[in-house]
Amino acid sequence: MVAVSEGIAQAYIYAAHMPWEKNDQRFGTVRVAVHPDIWHDALFESVLEMAESWLLTEGGAIAVTRVRQTLESDLRVLGARGYKEVRQARMWQLDLVAGRDRLLDGAKRARRRMAEQGVVMTTLAEDRDPDRLPKMYQLCIEAEQDIPTTMPIPVMSYDAWHHLWFENPGIRLDRVWLAHEGEAVVGLSAIEYPPTRGHPWTALTATSRAVRGRGIARALKYETVAQAIALGATRIGTTNDGENAPILHLNAEMGYTPAVPGLELHRDLTS
């Protein structure tokens, strides 16, 4: 729900949950926001209570919300209401101007390493494998299930996955990179380019379990970065779970710098 006054959004409320049979602990997600001009503790809490009340009527047990660490007032009210930090989402920014030469050199080295291993990297637009999309789907699902998480990640149907990726105006086939080893799709990396405003953001970087540790994720990530530089982008953002050590290490190695993290907070609605 959105509250609007004179054409301006004043408050936003969102609540949702996945099917309970796939969610034994009955996690539900809530999101609330109040315009800074009218924000005060009681109003924010009342909006939050509306989202929680809906979740309770649905049978939810644990409310989950995510808040940027800089929103101190929101965090104060959430804490007073019983929300506790459970996880962090690490935000990163990569300066493509200052790091241009180093990043392009890294991409060249990664390409040579992939060629030595017989791994072929290509964009989805150039890939001629007729089964590339089902293979990409299977890779995405496998990789998502390996992301550290507290809430379970539901397994999307192929149709839902296809909609998420290819009806997204920020995703283009010539900016999605795949890695092939023989007939298998063993890795992918894609940057989402907002069509109107904002800077590019990594949508996903993933490799199949069987090939991890061989530098394929690194090579794909470098390839997307080199392409972004060629397209004139000046920086790239990315978000990773705070316990996903391999990708955090890779980000630091490539020169990403930490930005303000997002906090995942949980509240037991039954207590």
Side-chain angles (χ1 to χ4, degrees):
M1 294 186 290
V2 179
V4 179
S5 175
E6 298 180 355
I8 298 174
Q10 301 292 329
Y12 169 79
I13 308 171
Y14 169 89
H17 64 83
M18 69 181 74
W20 295 132
E21 61 268 20
K22 300 178 181 179
N23 184 358
D24 292 341
Q25 293 180 274
R26 293 183 174 255
F27 289 104
T29 300
V30 297
R31 300 276 195 279
V32 299
V34 176
H35 195 288
D37 290 348
I38 62 170
W39 197 102
H40 59 82
D41 287 22
L43 178 57
F44 181 84
E45 186 168 13
S46 69
V47 173
L48 178 61
E49 187 173 2
M50 291 178 66
E52 293 174 345
S53 296
W54 177 85
L55 190 57
L56 272 170
T57 64
E58 288 284 298
I62 300 174
V64 179
T65 192
R66 294 175 176 85
V67 183
R68 286 177 64 87
Q69 195 176 53
T70 51
L71 296 177
E72 296 177 358
S73 296
D74 290 21
L75 289 168
R76 183 183 68 251
V77 175
L78 288 163
R81 198 165 176 83
Y83 283 83
K84 293 180 171 52
E85 180 183 332
V86 173
R87 308 188 74 85
Q88 284 195 14
R90 297 281 296 277
M91 311 290 188
W92 302 77
Q93 297 285 334
L94 180 63
D95 187 334
L96 302 184
V97 177
R100 182 181 186 278
D101 293 343
R102 173 179 51 79
L103 293 166
L104 292 178
D105 184 59
K108 290 179 182 178
R109 292 197 308 272
R111 288 181 199 129
R112 287 197 297 268
R113 184 177 179 186
M114 291 302 98
E116 291 167 359
Q117 296 184 37
V119 175
V120 177
M121 296 187 296
T122 183
T123 67
L124 189 56
E126 296 171 337
D127 196 314
R128 294 296 173 257
D129 182 349
D131 296 321
R132 63 193 181 282
L133 292 185
K135 292 175 181 178
M136 180 180 166
Y137 166 71
Q138 291 297 331
L139 174 61
C140 285
I141 296 304
E142 178 180 301
E144 284 179 350
Q145 294 305 305
D146 290 342
I147 296 172
T149 184
T150 303
M151 292 177 64
I153 299 175
V155 176
M156 286 186 289
S157 68
Y158 178 84
D159 289 343
W161 170 85
H162 192 279
H163 172 81
L164 178 70
W165 274 83
F166 302 111
E167 295 184 44
N168 176 351
I171 295 290
R172 288 181 37 160
L173 300 186
D174 59 346
R175 297 175 189 176
V176 176
W177 287 82
L178 300 181
H180 281 266
E181 187 167 49
E183 295 184 358
V185 173
V186 296
L188 74 92
S189 189
I191 292 177
E192 185 176 354
Y193 290 78
T196 55
R197 62 189 178 92
H199 59 274
W201 205 271
T202 299
L204 180 66
T205 297
T207 54
S208 61
R209 295 172 188 141
V211 302
R212 290 175 191 166
R214 292 170 47 188
I216 295 174
R218 176 182 289 99
L220 287 166
K221 201 169 176 75
Y222 267 117
E223 205 65 58
T224 64
V225 167
Q227 184 180 51
I229 291 172
L231 291 169
T234 58
R235 60 184 170 132
I236 295 172
T238 190
T239 305
N240 308 105
D241 183 83
E243 296 181 13
N244 193 344
I247 198 67
L248 297 178
H249 175 76
L250 176 55
N251 287 345
E253 177 187 300
M254 291 182 68
Y256 283 80
T257 56
V260 177
L263 308 181
E264 181 180 317
L265 310 172
H266 292 199
R267 180 194 174 202
D268 186 346
L269 297 177
T270 63
S271 61

